[in-house]
Amino acid sequence: MQFDDADLVLRDPLIDKVLISSGDIQKRIRQLGTEISRDYQDRQPILVCILKGAFVFLADLSRCISVHHEVDFMAISSYHGGTESTGVVKIEKDLKSNITDRDIIIVEDIVDTGLTLNYLLELLETRSPKSIRVCALLDKTSRRIEEVPVTYSGFEIPDEFVIGFGLDYDEKYRNLPFIGVLKP
Ligand code: IMP
């Protein structure tokens, strides 16, 4: 059975609203896929999916990229001091691939303060890839503490805690097909 975004909001009293609809997400992912396919012609990048949040985005993005590419996964957990990310990241699962001399695209769900991504970029740079770029579905630019280069950015969003499309609250809501906001 399939529900549309509005049905899903109605069915859960904790969800306040849809911020980005499933239709808009799919449209933007197709554009990102087209852009990446054009930029990586005659190359074979490795899409590095940052678990858990980016798994839904990766699955859709990969199917919108027409050039050959590989996928690999990294699981990380960020330590939070209160609600704020500290940038101290624990690698729970490392890549299988050797990324030396390879073109890497980090696929992230959201860039908030930028501390996590900054740590990851510094770590992966030590492995001497040919290039590294970042593709993030969501970008909270107003919250940035560490300037990080996001080459492919899906949507710039306001400073609100969002859920859905891979993003969780207490491990829930990753399955929503839209980006939503919880009730305060
Ligand atoms: P940063 O280090 O502050 O950029 O935090 C990035 C990570 O924090 C993301 O990969 C998410 O796991 C998490 N995060 C940041 N904002 C949100 C949000 O609005 N909803 C869910 N997770 C978030």
Side-chain angles (χ1 to χ4, degrees), residues 49-57 108-109 164-168 174:
C49 174
I50 308 303
L51 297 171
K52 298 176 188 173
F55 79 102
V56 180
F57 180 37
E108 258 287 24
D109 51 357
F165 215 80
L167 289 130
D168 74 307
R174 294 190 195 277

Side-chain angles (χ1 to χ4, degrees), residues 28-41 43 45-47 57 61 65 67 103-111 117 131-139 141 144 148-156:
R28 186 73 187 112
I29 292 178
R30 280 197 294 277
Q31 291 169 344
L32 291 172
T34 304
E35 233 180 285
I36 291 171
S37 306
R38 196 188 52 218
D39 293 352
Y40 287 84
Q41 267 177 36
R43 289 149 84 182
I46 304 176
L47 302 191
F57 180 37
L61 180 67
I65 297 177
V67 296
D103 293 306
I104 303 304
I105 304 174
I106 296 179
V107 178
E108 258 287 24
D109 51 357
I110 185 166
V111 186
L117 191 54
S131 68
I132 303 192
R133 282 181 179 169
V134 175
C135 178
L137 180 65
L138 305 173
D139 196 341
T141 43
R144 204 68 101 245
V148 279
V150 181
T151 305
Y152 307 102
S153 171
F155 300 91
E156 198 169 307

Side-chain angles (χ1 to χ4, degrees), residues 85 108-116 140 160-162 167-168:
S85 156
E108 258 287 24
D109 51 357
I110 185 166
V111 186
D112 185 15
T113 61
L115 291 169
T116 306
K140 283 188 198 169
E160 285 191 279
F161 189 84
V162 291
L167 289 130
D168 74 307

Side-chain angles (χ1 to χ4, degrees), residues 13-75:
L14 297 183
I15 303 175
D16 189 24
K17 61 175 180 192
V18 173
L19 187 67
I20 308 169
S21 73
S22 43
D24 286 347
I25 295 174
Q26 293 306 325
K27 197 167 138 201
R28 186 73 187 112
I29 292 178
R30 280 197 294 277
Q31 291 169 344
L32 291 172
T34 304
E35 233 180 285
I36 291 171
S37 306
R38 196 188 52 218
D39 293 352
Y40 287 84
Q41 267 177 36
D42 305 319
R43 289 149 84 182
Q44 186 166 312
I46 304 176
L47 302 191
V48 170
C49 174
I50 308 303
L51 297 171
K52 298 176 188 173
F55 79 102
V56 180
F57 180 37
L58 174 88
D60 285 355
L61 180 67
S62 171
R63 285 176 289 178
C64 291
I65 297 177
S66 57
V67 296
H68 286 305
H69 60 277
E70 299 165 37
V71 294
D72 204 341
F73 300 87
M74 222 170 165

